[in-house]
Amino acid sequence: MDSLLIKGGVPLHGEVTISGSKNATLPIMAAALLTSEPCIIRRVPQLTDVRFMAQILTWLGAKVTFQGDELRIEARKIKGIGDYDLVRKMRGSICIMGPLLARLKSATVSLPGGCVIGARPINLHLKGFEALGAKIQISGGYVHARARKLVGTEIFLGGRAGSTVLGTANVMMAATLAEGITVIQSAACEPEIVDLANFLNAMGARITGAGSPTITIQGVKELHGAEHEVIPDRIETATYAIAAAATNGEITIHGSNPGHLTAVLDKLQEAGVKIERRGPDLIVRRGGRLKPVDVTTLPYAGFPTDAQAQMMALLTLAPGISIITERIFESRFMHVSELARLGADIELEGPSAIVKGGRPLSGAPVMASDLRASAALVIAGLAAKGTTRVLRVYHIDRGYENIDGKLRALGARIERVPES
């Protein structure tokens, strides 16, 4: 098991290129199960979650081949069972259920695992499958879904914390091969849903409205192979932009999509960070003294929960009081105690974190609890004086491609070392 050793206090300078989106790649890989013909996916990030999904598809019977950032999937003959030992490793694996149910009319999938950031039930996924005509049973830690046929209908997928991204993806994939028209109301509007819909349409699906709260799917009899390039990872983009600001540096971010990051860029500018857009590129630099801001996480196009921890790391450096309110996941403040080990002054009050910023951070050993918390601790370590050791970085490898290499190219003093 590795850890990251960071000698902080060095401003980041240079250029970094953003990888393909993890959260778009995983459902798109699952969607390849909808056809027996080959699918080619480009700009695929080299992440442990992607490798886990490849293992799951291989277990199901698909042939999966990597060549650089290009992935070829051929699911000529597949089975409808997702094994616990594979599915438990990440929550995104539940998105195989929709394609399996659509193509085989039967799916048995283990309840998923993933980061420990609060309850993320799959009840809305199952509600959607049942509305399409599936019979659902949960026993022995597995979800069993069966359907003589799937029939389009109107489905409301709103939940306590808003729309469900994976649920929208799962039901949308199942509906592509259902009879008639399916209308998903309160659908997730995230760019990753739009990217999945574009891939499905390239396969022959008939989907309109992706990116809005109402998605309409006209079912077709079969889908065919397709080629697709994954969108850039908006959370990786946000992470590097925040890291540049935290270290008082200046970097150019290539290959992003600034339109997917409006809420994050707005808050960074409110905090005193200078941002210049040049097409798909961003130039980010500290514009002087940081200012405190209030942040509330919301479904897209609001401030993403996946950038909350990183923003908190930045705001520990801004003199004054910032308030961060988490409206998506109730247990997503596990990084607070670790940031405190570096000298941050943060108090929790219900769904909010009160950040009393402006105190200097100093290096210390810290332990990552989840993917985005890992990134926050790396950012804090880059800004802190002295040496920070981030333990359990297998979390960060789930969602950031070669993060230590990319940061070293920006001048960071960071290395991957074995945990003692």
Side-chain angles (χ1 to χ4, degrees), residues 266-284:
D266 177 72
K267 283 298 176 183
L268 285 174
Q269 290 173 315
E270 187 180 334
V273 180
K274 301 297 183 183
I275 298 172
E276 182 181 346
R277 302 189 190 190
R278 293 183 182 176
D281 297 341
L282 291 170
I283 299 174
V284 183

Side-chain angles (χ1 to χ4, degrees), residues 17-18 38 71 96 180 184 194 306 351:
T17 299
I18 297 304
L71 180 60
I96 64 175
I184 302 175
V194 177
D306 279 355

Side-chain angles (χ1 to χ4, degrees), residues 305-358:
T305 181
D306 279 355
Q308 176 256 107
Q310 301 91 308
M311 193 69 179
M312 185 182 293
L314 175 66
L315 293 177
T316 64
L317 306 170
I321 296 177
S322 299
I323 301 175
I324 299 177
T325 302
E326 175 59 57
R327 294 294 186 193
I328 307 299
F329 298 123
E330 70 275 15
S331 299
R332 205 160 200 181
F333 286 140
M334 297 177 73
H335 45 280
V336 168
S337 59
E338 297 303 300
L339 288 173
R341 286 180 52 78
L342 299 174
D345 187 354
I346 306 169
E347 294 182 8
L348 295 181
E349 293 187 10
S352 298
I354 315 302
V355 183
K356 301 173 184 178

Side-chain angles (χ1 to χ4, degrees), residues 123-401:
N123 59 304
L124 294 175
H125 303 234
L126 305 185
K127 174 185 176 181
F129 296 149
E130 287 180 320
L132 292 171
K135 301 294 184 183
I136 304 294
Q137 180 183 2
I138 300 177
S139 62
Y142 283 79
V143 179
H144 307 268
R146 304 284 186 274
R148 186 175 61 84
K149 65 177 180 178
L150 299 179
V151 180
T153 186
E154 186 165 316
I155 304 169
F156 180 78
L157 285 184
R160 181 177 60 82
S163 53
T164 164
V165 180
L166 274 181
T168 299
N170 232 341
V171 175
M172 183 168 67
M173 288 188 283
T176 59
L177 298 179
E179 294 181 8
I181 296 174
T182 299
V183 179
I184 302 175
Q185 299 286 5
S186 194
C189 301
E190 273 73 0
E192 294 80 11
I193 293 295
V194 177
D195 205 33
L196 173 62
N198 289 340
F199 177 60
L200 291 168
N201 284 338
M203 295 173 70
R206 298 172 63 185
I207 301 171
T208 58
S212 79
T214 302
I215 298 177
T216 302
I217 306 106
Q218 171 70 62
V220 298
K221 288 189 175 181
E222 62 181 9
L223 297 177
H224 52 72
E227 298 186 16
H228 182 77
E229 182 170 297
V230 175
I231 59 172
D233 195 309
R234 61 194 173 103
I235 305 302
E236 186 190 26
T237 303
T239 300
Y240 283 107
I242 293 170
T247 61
N248 202 16
E250 178 176 341
I251 67 170
T252 299
I253 302 173
H254 295 297
S256 66
N257 187 328
H260 294 168
L261 279 170
T262 303
V264 174
L265 299 181
D266 177 72
K267 283 298 176 183
L268 285 174
Q269 290 173 315
E270 187 180 334
V273 180
K274 301 297 183 183
I275 298 172
E276 182 181 346
R277 302 189 190 190
R278 293 183 182 176
D281 297 341
L282 291 170
I283 299 174
V284 183
R285 67 181 183 277
R286 175 88 71 85
R289 183 176 169 134
L290 289 171
K291 298 178 246 181
V293 298
D294 293 345
V295 176
T296 300
T297 65
L298 293 167
Y300 190 82
F303 194 95
T305 181
D306 279 355
Q308 176 256 107
Q310 301 91 308
M311 193 69 179
M312 185 182 293
L314 175 66
L315 293 177
T316 64
L317 306 170
I321 296 177
S322 299
I323 301 175
I324 299 177
T325 302
E326 175 59 57
R327 294 294 186 193
I328 307 299
F329 298 123
E330 70 275 15
S331 299
R332 205 160 200 181
F333 286 140
M334 297 177 73
H335 45 280
V336 168
S337 59
E338 297 303 300
L339 288 173
R341 286 180 52 78
L342 299 174
D345 187 354
I346 306 169
E347 294 182 8
L348 295 181
E349 293 187 10
S352 298
I354 315 302
V355 183
K356 301 173 184 178
R359 294 175 55 177
L361 301 180
S362 58
V366 289
M367 188 170 295
S369 57
D370 63 71
L371 168 56
R372 305 307 174 184
S374 304
L377 296 177
V378 168
I379 290 170
L382 292 170
K385 295 180 179 179
T387 301
T388 297
R389 189 178 186 123
V390 183
L391 305 172
R392 292 186 180 175
V393 294
Y394 60 83
H395 286 295
I396 209 165
D397 293 332
R398 291 184 48 235
Y400 291 92
E401 183 176 42

